[in-house]
Amino acid sequence: MAEPDVLAPLAVAVPLGTAALLAAAARWIPRRGPDVVAIIASAAVTAMAVVLAVTTQDEPLVYWFGGWHPVGGVAIGIAFVVEPSSAAMAALAGLITLASLAFSWRYFEETGHLYHALVLTLLAGMVGFSLSGDLFNIFVWLELMSVAAYALCGYRIGQRGVIQGAVNFAVLNTIGTLTMLLGIALVYGRTGALNLAQIAETLRGRPPGGPVIVGFVLITTGLLVKAGTVPFHFWLADAYTVVPAPVGALFAGVMSDLPFHTFARIYWDGFSEALAAHQQAVRTALLAMAAASVVIGAAMTLLQADLKRQVAFATVAAGGTMLAGIALLTPEGLAGSTILLVADGALKAAVFLLISGIIQWLGAGDELLLHERGRRRRGLVPAVLLSCCGLGLALLPPFGPFLGTALVTGSAGQHLLTTVLVCGAAVTGAVFLRSTARIFLGWGPTEDPALTQEPTEPDEGEPEFQPNEDWNSLGHRIVMLTPPAVLIAVGYGLALVPGVDGWFTRVAQHFTEARHTGALVLGRPLPPVSPAPPPSEPGRGAWLWSVISSAGAVLLAAASLWWQRWAGRLRHVLLAPAAVLKGLHDGSVGDYALWFTVGLAALGTGWSLTLR
């Protein structure tokens, strides 16, 4: 095994080099060659990231490209700063890419070698985005990741809906990245530095000033756009609806959540000391956006019939919980957010892969159109797997999402926030339980005026195939069901690893020690690290509300299947606010840009008045 300091650049070089090789030489490689090569490359990235996570648990690893080490405490080179949580994000990206590529082996009749090259380029961008230690290169990796994602989103570009979804995705995300770039320019103009540790050193002991505050607002906004946080989330459902489902697993499982981790790194390594006197203002604004994401994301998930759109809005809701953990600005909250990012990400990716199998097997991805189609013997395994995803997202104890949410709510100590997060999880989980019951058991009606139903069958963005009778083949079912089953095992099993909560809490404690990380990066004497707080195991209250959430998800799933029977005169009262909420998500990129402007103005005004 190579030394850890060699593995850091290799984790990016391997997928990039493999992508270039496939783009240049795949025409001379046998038909299944690109699949094999891409799977090996993603497996190698996953293994390297896991090794980095283990070997850096005591002290971060700093890799300077080209040997450009700091001189006199001044950094001008490009660095990767590898610590366990960033390596865990890279490992998650590699694992989900591996699962997606393994699944894609039998999903596409003709993908072409460029598909594999784009997926590996996306993986390289996500790994570099996770490990980079300076602002400009965070932007560079974000752009590489985004360009590959735009191309993958437009895989079926000949379809009108795909064009609209891909354009909305590209336009809103480009606005977000340019906003971030402007913020980086303002910070650089004020500090003369791009390295996060150097920025923190320059700002230490002085007021941050207007340019830094505005720059921080713009950087935060750019990242929250990429993460799909309310009110910057409108592009997300349009893109997820038209992306090929194996690629959607990458989007929902890791790409949309990585910006939360990157924001935490930028805040703690670059701005935490400069804004230490204003933590409450930072916390309040981010918690408000997190709560809005949970409420709106969960509500919109409940109102969707299209399975992909359900995952899209579930991603918005789950992202709100992750942002809440980061917004608390405590090691425990950050630890819970990191656990959620891994566990929830694995489950959401598994759902998207299951949707892929459902579309290929049954010919559609809309739960109303699929009513009772899966009611056959060989539908038992996908039904069980989809139900497991729903229960996991509903915080079934003692598994991964439950543990992460328990750390977040335990750190917050706020009953209102706990209620919002738990209710959001219950609603999100209920939707996938409802879909399972409708598709595989035939429960509920075939029409529901509360649900937004897609008019086409099969889904836009997917290969053109008819319901696949090859599902009866054992080999085909193994290829289709093994990757989501493995991801579900990761999402559930993370919390069962002995001492995992204490490990993530220690990692988060080191993560928030900005002075220690800065001294390590700049080559200065290391200050002592504060002892990590003892892990706070979930108490009786956490177990109680998790049981309530899980049971509530089952009851809500049943209620949403048969609500028309008991609604009576309340029918129109219930449908009116649903229509208003769905009307805001009308697919107009102009309206979405307006909401982006409103969100940026609100965040900018609030922080400009308080972060002085």
Side-chain angles (χ1 to χ4, degrees):
M1 178 64 69
E3 293 295 325
D5 60 345
V6 177
L7 295 181
L10 278 179
V12 171
V14 167
L16 273 182
T18 306
L21 174 66
L22 289 177
R27 67 181 64 182
W28 297 287
I29 300 176
R31 182 168 180 256
R32 290 301 179 187
D35 291 286
V36 174
V37 172
I39 287 173
I40 292 173
S42 57
V45 171
T46 306
M48 288 186 284
V50 170
V51 172
L52 287 171
V54 173
T55 57
T56 58
Q57 57 185 325
D58 295 324
E59 185 173 278
L61 182 153
V62 183
Y63 180 87
W64 292 97
F65 286 86
W68 285 77
H69 296 271
V71 177
V74 177
I76 59 174
I78 298 172
F80 274 174
V81 180
V82 186
E83 41 75 39
S85 61
S86 61
M89 299 304 102
L92 177 66
L95 176 64
I96 294 179
T97 302
L98 175 61
S100 176
L101 288 170
F103 184 96
S104 299
W105 185 289
R106 296 290 298 271
Y107 191 67
F108 298 102
E109 288 296 327
E110 294 182 4
T111 57
H113 61 283
L114 294 181
Y115 169 79
H116 303 86
L118 286 170
V119 170
L120 291 175
T121 302
L122 177 63
L123 173 60
M126 291 189 291
V127 173
F129 187 63
S130 301
L131 304 182
S132 187
D134 71 88
L135 280 177
F136 185 74
N137 284 283
I138 287 174
F139 167 78
V140 170
W141 292 114
L142 177 63
E143 277 296 277
L144 178 66
M145 182 170 67
S146 299
V147 170
Y150 301 155
L152 288 167
C153 184
Y155 170 74
R156 300 290 297 173
I157 199 65
Q159 299 175 355
R160 181 177 179 180
V162 173
I163 295 175
Q164 180 177 349
V167 167
N168 285 356
F169 179 23
V171 169
L172 268 296
N173 277 262
T174 300
I175 293 173
T177 52
L178 291 178
T179 300
M180 182 179 177
L181 183 61
L182 179 58
I184 293 171
L186 288 173
V187 172
Y188 179 73
R190 175 67 175 82
T191 64
L194 292 170
N195 184 277
L196 291 171
Q198 193 73 61
I199 290 171
E201 183 73 16
T202 303
L203 295 177
R204 185 170 293 131
R206 66 178 69 176
V212 171
I213 293 173
V214 174
F216 181 65
V217 169
L218 296 176
I219 292 169
T220 302
T221 300
L223 291 173
L224 294 183
V225 169
K226 193 66 181 179
T229 300
V230 172
F232 310 117
H233 67 294
F234 292 96
W235 65 268
L236 198 140
D238 294 336
Y240 280 32
T241 303
V242 301
V243 72
V247 179
L250 290 167
F251 284 20
V254 61
M255 189 189 76
S256 292
D257 295 338
L258 276 183
F260 293 123
H261 174 267
T262 301
F263 170 79
R265 160 169 280 182
I266 289 173
Y267 173 80
W268 285 110
D269 287 356
F271 296 91
S272 59
E273 289 194 64
L275 300 176
H278 311 287
Q279 281 193 353
Q280 187 56 46
V282 175
R283 181 183 295 114
T284 300
L286 294 179
L287 283 177
M289 298 177 75
S293 296
V294 172
V295 172
I296 294 177
M300 284 299 297
T301 305
L302 189 63
L303 297 174
Q304 306 304 313
D306 184 82
L307 299 177
K308 290 184 181 180
R309 290 181 71 87
Q310 290 174 2
V311 182
F313 287 110
T315 301
V316 175
T321 304
M322 297 173 200
L323 181 59
I326 294 170
L328 294 172
L329 306 181
T330 63
E332 296 87 347
L334 181 60
S337 180
T338 306
I339 292 173
L340 274 172
L341 204 154
V342 176
D344 259 34
L347 292 179
K348 289 180 297 185
V351 173
F352 239 121
L353 293 183
L354 290 170
I355 292 171
S356 302
I358 289 170
I359 292 173
Q360 184 171 9
W361 177 35
L362 302 177
D366 184 292
E367 69 169 82
L368 294 176
L369 293 174
L370 290 170
H371 184 272
E372 206 176 3
R373 288 194 195 180
R375 195 172 182 177
R376 58 182 74 172
R377 182 171 59 85
R378 289 185 172 86
L380 176 63
V381 175
V384 170
L385 293 178
L386 189 58
S387 298
C388 288
C389 291
L391 290 172
L393 294 173
L395 309 181
L396 180 70
F399 303 111
F402 157 74
L403 178 61
T405 306
L407 288 175
V408 171
T409 56
S411 177
Q414 302 176 18
H415 296 300
L416 178 59
L417 179 62
T418 299
T419 301
V420 170
L421 299 186
V422 171
C423 290
V427 173
T428 301
V431 173
F432 298 109
L433 295 177
R434 181 190 72 195
S435 297
T436 302
R438 184 170 263 133
I439 295 170
F440 296 99
L441 299 176
W443 292 359
T446 58
E447 295 183 0
D448 191 331
L451 302 186
T452 300
Q453 186 175 7
E454 296 299 310
T456 57
E457 180 184 1
D459 276 9
E460 291 179 316
E462 301 302 327
E464 295 178 355
F465 44 58
Q466 298 299 318
N468 196 337
E469 294 301 328
D470 286 343
W471 188 270
N472 294 322
S473 163
L474 177 61
H476 187 79
R477 293 202 307 276
I478 290 175
V479 171
M480 300 293 275
L481 296 177
T482 298
V486 170
L487 291 175
I488 291 170
V490 171
Y492 269 62
L494 180 64
L496 304 181
V497 177
V500 68
D501 51 348
W503 188 84
F504 274 100
T505 302
R506 289 193 302 273
V507 166
Q509 177 66 40
H510 293 166
F511 189 96
T512 58
E513 294 282 345
R515 288 207 175 195
H516 186 274
T517 304
L520 183 68
V521 171
L522 299 178
R524 297 184 173 180
L526 299 180
V529 179
S530 303
S536 54
E537 296 184 0
R540 292 182 180 178
W543 284 86
L544 177 61
W545 56 245
S546 67
V547 171
I548 293 174
S549 175
S550 304
V554 175
L555 294 175
L556 181 59
S560 62
L561 283 169
W562 291 292
W563 70 275
Q564 297 180 73
R565 294 183 180 180
W566 53 262
R569 296 182 179 180
L570 293 176
R571 178 188 179 99
H572 297 294
V573 176
L574 295 173
L575 291 177
V580 172
L581 188 57
K582 289 192 288 186
L584 296 175
H585 301 78
D586 60 359
S588 171
V589 69
D591 290 348
Y592 296 172
L594 174 63
W595 279 106
F596 166 86
T597 305
V598 170
L600 175 59
L603 184 62
T605 301
W607 277 356
S608 296
L609 294 176
T610 55
L611 303 185
R612 293 182 176 179

